Structure formats: structure tokens, C-alpha cells
Amino acid sequence: MELNLVCDNAILARHTITFYFVGYLFSMVSCGISSDRFGRKKVIIVSLFLQGSAGIVMALISNIYAIFVLRFITAIGGAGSFIPAVVLAAEVSSVDSRMKSSVAIQMMFTIGYMIISLLTYFVRTWRALMIIISIPSLVFAIVYVCFLDESPRWLLNKKRTKDANKILSNIAKLNKTVLPQTEIVNIFSSNNKRVETWKMFTIPQLLKRTLILMVNWAIVSMVYYGISLNVGKLYGNLYMNFFLNSVVEFPAYILGFFLLNRIGRKKLHASLMVLAGIACIAGIFPVLYGTKAHRWMLTASSIFGRLFITAAYGFMYLYTLELYPTCIRNGALGAMNTFAHVGGSVAPYTLSLSDLVSGKVGRIMPMILMGTLSIIAGLLSLLLPETNNRKMMDNFNDLTKSGELELATKKDAILKEETHPMKPRQPEEDIKF
């Protein structure tokens, strides 16, 4: 009401969501490439400053068109700080701990959801809420300037061996171990050739997994945001339903924590996508055949669907990181997130399908669509290679002819993985670009 977003102007409120997703799409491409070129740390810090400052300015103005622009900038900052952070965590982790670091980051995301649900209950004015949630971005940006180290893998990839050696020495000291006084393994990007992210569309081994991942990222995001936005249509208290749909993400990540290394990335992701689809489709039965006494079943199917799709979405980051070499890893993840937010931007319109058909049939159409697509994406992911206990690739020469990844022979700390001298592997057959 404050911005007069009612009657004919009501559509402007939806545009704020559209501008946010467009900003996210732009950030996925630009920040991914920038992070691979300028480093993870710089992009994270700049993005946090953008996110925090744009959020605060947004709370101080009343022009809806200026708010569109600021929403766009806020999305750039949000994506630009989150994606490189996921990459950085994976690149400073050993084979055994990559899964743990990924789960930890995703759980922080869930904690943020819970904090938002509590804040919206107690702080009912959007301006005060924007300021409260924007200030931490500026605080962490300042803290990271002083205390965050660059990724050693990225530094080695850029041939900055001295800087990488200094950071690895600090890590060794923190872990109470000794950094071997020998030559650090030099990680080159296809010798001296400049590597571009678009290479993932020209190398057959990467093209297949890229196309499958594009479909999976788009659908997992569409289903995730579709279920999230559908919370307002569930029976019961809106704030409680939102809180429950946020809390359920904890068991989702805990489930993955125990199963990811045991079952493997591929089988677990496929299973989660199929289960999420089944949960969505199961929600149609209380709508078609249930009474008021069965309303709880619709809420339960939504919660279970959120659980499975959250786990699938969260572990997609780790799975994608492990499927690409260091030289294009951040750019590849950014490209995949672009398709994710194409799917996310479609989610509100997917729910609008219920407006095209009246009655109970119209209400179940979005759930049928999301459930079916989720099952299809899960089955497609079975065509991807397994990455569990496999070596992380550093350049295109690490690709095998079959596309499968080499089994890891070292399961100790990142120091041992990155600082012990070893001879570069000679591929059986050169990869053609």
C-alpha cells in the first residue's frame, strides 16, 4: 500500500521478483567469469559490498522504478558472493572434506531462511527489514578483506606459486602439520593457453555433462522455488508453514551428509529428484479426493517435497564443482546457476497455471508439472559420471577419453593433495579443442 502497488499497479510488485532473477542471471555469467580471472576473494568482497549497500539504499527510497534497479544490483551481489564462496570452500578442501564443506555452506543458507522467517514475524515493515538484513553483508565484506585467503588452487592455476605457498603454509600451521619444503605441484591451464568457459561446449566429454546439468539445474530450481512460493496456498498459519518449510532443510542436508559418500553423488541426486517429483504428485490426491480432514496431507507432501528438492539442490553445487576442471570451474558453476535461475524465474508463472483452469484440476496442474519434470531430470542425471572419491581435475588434460573421473589415491588433507611433488599425468590421447 505504501508504494501504491494495488489494482492496476499490482503487476509492478511481481516485476520486483523478475528484476531480481534477471540480476541473478547476469551475475551468474559475469561473476563466474570474473572469479576465474580475478580470483574468488575479490569477487566475494565486491559482491558483498554491492548487496549490502543496494539493500540499504532500497529501504530509503520510494520510487518503484529505482527499486527495480536496486533489486537487480542486490541480486548481482547475492549471487556474486555465494557462488565463488562455494567454489572456494571446495578448492581448499580435501577429497574427504569436500562434502562436509558443501553441507556446511548449505546449512548456513537454511539458517538464513529461519532467521528471515522469524524477522518477518516480528518486524512487519519492509524498510526496517531490508536494513537489518543488509548490514551483515557490509560487515562480512570488511572482515573478509582482512581475514579471507585466496584459493590456493586458483593461485597455482595462475602460476602464482609464491602466494599459494604462503597460504598453504598458514593452513599447515593451523592444522599443526608441516608444509614439505619441496616444489609445489604446478597446475597449468593447458600449458600457456588462455582458457575460456565456453570450452565446456566444445569438448565432447564436457558437452554431454553440461547439457544434462543445464536441464537438472533449471528443473531443480523451478521445483524448489515453486514449492517455496506455494507455501502461501497451504492450509494453516502462513508464518508457521514458512518456518516449517525452512526447518525441514536441516534434515535434508543431514540426510545427504550421511549418504553422499556412501551412495555416491549420481545415485543420491537421481533418487532425491525422483522422490521430490513423487512428493509433488502425491499432493494432488488430497486436493482431488480429500476432505477438510485431509488438508494436513497437502502440507505434508509440500514439506517432504521441500526436503528432497532442497537436498538435491544443495548437493548440485558440489556435484557440478567436481565435474569440471579448476581452469573453468567457477565459470561453469556460474553458467549452471544461470539456467537454475531461468528455472526459478519460471516458477511463479508455473503456479499461475492454476488460474487458467478453474476448480480442483487447475489447483493440481502446477504440482503435476513440477513432479513430472523432477522425475525426468533425475533419470537424466544417471547418465553423468560419478565423482565420489574421484580426483578433482585441474585442466583439460585430466579428462579421460571415456569421460569418467580417475579414482583418488590420496584421502588426506589438502596440503598433501596439493603440495607433494608428482609428475604430470600424460593423457592416453590428447583432448581436441
Side-chain angles (χ1 to χ4, degrees), residues 275-343:
L275 288 172
I278 293 173
C280 288
I281 295 174
I284 72 175
F285 295 105
V287 174
L288 291 177
Y289 309 110
T291 62
K292 289 184 178 181
H294 302 106
R295 288 177 175 178
W296 65 270
M297 297 175 66
L298 180 61
T299 303
S301 68
S302 175
I303 292 175
F304 277 106
R306 178 68 175 265
L307 184 149
F308 294 129
I309 203 66
T310 294
Y313 202 169
F315 300 131
M316 277 290 289
Y317 286 92
L318 176 62
Y319 196 18
T320 302
L321 287 173
E322 294 177 335
L323 285 170
Y324 291 97
T326 300
C327 55
I328 62 167
R329 183 172 295 126
N330 202 105
L333 183 59
M336 291 303 109
N337 266 270
T338 299
F339 289 94
H341 287 85
V342 168

Side-chain angles (χ1 to χ4, degrees), residues 95-104 256-257 260-261 265 318:
V95 174
D96 283 341
S97 60
R98 283 203 303 264
M99 180 268 293
K100 297 176 183 177
S101 65
S102 178
V103 170
F257 182 83
L260 202 55
N261 283 344
R265 281 50 159 159
L318 176 62

